[in-house]
Amino acid sequence: MAKVGSINKMNKVAKLVKKFAAKRAALKEQQQQARKGELDFDALMALQEKFNVLPRYSAKVRLHNRCTYDGRPRGFMRKFAMNRVLFRKLASEGKIPGVVKSSW
């Protein structure tokens, strides 16, 4: 089981990402237009400053997937939203529908 603080921190990051997603997308679009040569260098730097004002943890890359059952950060399987250890245990017990043990 992961530390409760780590799980809470990722929940907080997820809320921030969701809250600032539209604002970041709008700034990103403006930045892409600026890089095509539509704006001068000073305007591009002004856009970068707007990014710098946003909270650091509102960036999507700061979000780290965690197992929904025990909070383990590594070995995460997106399709099942759980880590590999728990997945293997539950699959062996036959508790995950549609998953069967492979043999060849």
Side-chain angles (χ1 to χ4, degrees):
M1 185 78 185
K3 292 182 181 177
V4 176
S6 300
I7 295 170
N8 290 341
K9 183 179 180 181
M10 280 302 119
N11 290 339
K12 181 180 175 183
V13 171
K15 286 179 187 175
L16 277 173
V17 167
K18 189 175 181 180
K19 181 179 178 182
F20 287 97
K23 194 170 193 177
R24 278 189 172 275
L27 285 173
K28 197 73 159 168
E29 183 65 34
Q30 290 176 0
Q31 197 176 41
Q32 291 298 326
Q33 291 173 354
R35 290 192 175 156
K36 291 177 184 174
E38 297 175 9
L39 293 176
D40 60 342
F41 182 74
D42 294 330
L44 186 61
M45 287 296 111
L47 280 173
Q48 187 61 41
E49 282 299 318
K50 288 181 182 178
F51 267 113
N52 292 342
V53 171
L54 295 175
R56 182 174 286 176
Y57 282 101
S58 67
K60 195 172 181 179
V61 278
R62 297 268 181 164
L63 191 59
H64 192 66
N65 290 326
R66 285 186 171 271
C67 178
T68 53
Y69 300 99
D70 61 1
R72 189 175 197 274
R74 299 195 177 185
F76 182 80
M77 300 175 74
R78 289 182 190 172
K79 187 173 181 180
F80 302 99
M82 66 177 71
N83 66 56
R84 61 180 176 78
V85 178
L86 187 65
F87 173 79
R88 183 170 178 178
K89 179 184 172 203
L90 293 177
S92 296
E93 295 171 0
K95 294 184 178 176
I96 303 175
V99 177
V100 293
K101 187 174 178 184
S102 174
S103 61
W104 61 90

